[in-house]
Every structure is written in C-alpha cells, then in structure tokens.
Amino acid sequence: MVKLRHARHPQAPPPENWAAQAPGTPAPQPNAQQPVQGLPPNQGQPAQQGAQTPTPKKPHRVFFWFFLAVQALFLALIIAGIASSGTPTECAGLTGDELQICKDAGGVGTTIGVGLVIGLWLAVDFILAVTYAIFRLARRPSA
C-alpha cells in the first residue's frame, strides 16, 4: 500500500549514502538544482506563469434553488390563505345565528383551501423528487 504524505510537511527519504558515511565527517549537502528524491518537481515553489492548471468544474445548483423557490411559493400561498380568514364581506349586515353560521362557513372554506394547497404542495414535491432521482440516475457513470 502506498502511503500518501501531507503536502505541507513532506518527508524526504533518507539519502542512500548514510550507511557509508564515516563518523565525524560532515553530511553531504544536497544539490540545490535537483529536487529531493521522492518529491514531485516544483513542490513548494510558485507555479510557472505559462502553466495552466485545470480548475475543477463547480457543479451548478439549479435544481436546489428551483426547489427552494417552489417551497417559498407554497409557504407564501398557505400564509396568504390563512391570513385571509376572518369575517367575510358577505356577512355584513347579518346578526345572531346567521352571522355565526356565515363566519363558520368562511372558516371551513379557508380550511378546505389550505388543505388543497398542502395536497398540491405534497404532489409537486413528490414529482420533483422523482424527477431529481431520474436525473441523478441518468448522470451516474455506467459500471
């Protein structure tokens, strides 16, 4: 198994002539022109101006932002539907039981409307999930 070294702290392999070196003699200086054995050339040096390194392509997050926009739209619809509940204008001039029945009918209508929006929200999210799964399967590399 090949062990990869960390790029910031590379460890050069020991020189081959350590065993042949007599005690008390100074260590030979490595040649500054040649890279240390085991390190790739130009490591730790600035890149040359003419060389272009390929930059990794950043994935587009279009589906993610579209999904968030759909969620925000449905949330706004539900908030608007709930906020519209109150005393309907058709109930103006009614009193007693008739006023209470009119208000209750308005509340039932609001509940049905919000329920329909939530059902549509679930259906759209399910369709988006299936579409995303198919898209991911289509882009998966074939084995």
Side-chain angles (χ1 to χ4, degrees):
M1 178 186 285
V2 175
K3 194 173 191 182
L4 298 177
R5 296 186 178 115
H6 194 276
R8 288 186 149 186
H9 304 288
Q11 297 175 350
E16 295 174 6
N17 60 357
W18 273 11
Q21 187 176 359
T25 59
Q29 296 295 323
N31 189 353
Q33 301 293 336
Q34 298 174 351
V36 177
Q37 188 179 24
L39 294 177
N42 296 335
Q43 182 163 351
Q45 298 176 0
Q48 298 173 356
Q49 289 184 356
Q52 293 181 350
T53 57
T55 56
K57 187 176 179 183
K58 185 176 180 182
H60 297 288
R61 309 277 311 227
V62 175
F63 183 82
F64 175 74
W65 291 109
F66 178 74
F67 181 77
L68 286 181
V70 168
Q71 303 312 305
L73 173 73
F74 277 108
L75 190 61
L77 282 173
I78 288 178
I79 291 172
I82 292 172
S84 69
S85 65
T87 306
T89 57
E90 293 84 17
C91 295
L94 298 177
T95 58
D97 287 339
E98 292 176 349
L99 178 62
Q100 187 62 38
I101 291 172
C102 187
K103 285 181 181 180
D104 291 342
V108 169
T110 300
T111 303
I112 291 172
V114 169
L116 288 174
V117 170
I118 290 174
L120 182 63
W121 190 358
L122 290 173
V124 168
D125 278 352
F126 178 76
I127 291 169
L128 285 174
V130 169
T131 304
Y132 183 69
I134 291 171
F135 174 75
R136 292 286 300 221
L137 284 174
R139 291 194 61 193
R140 185 175 62 175
S142 59

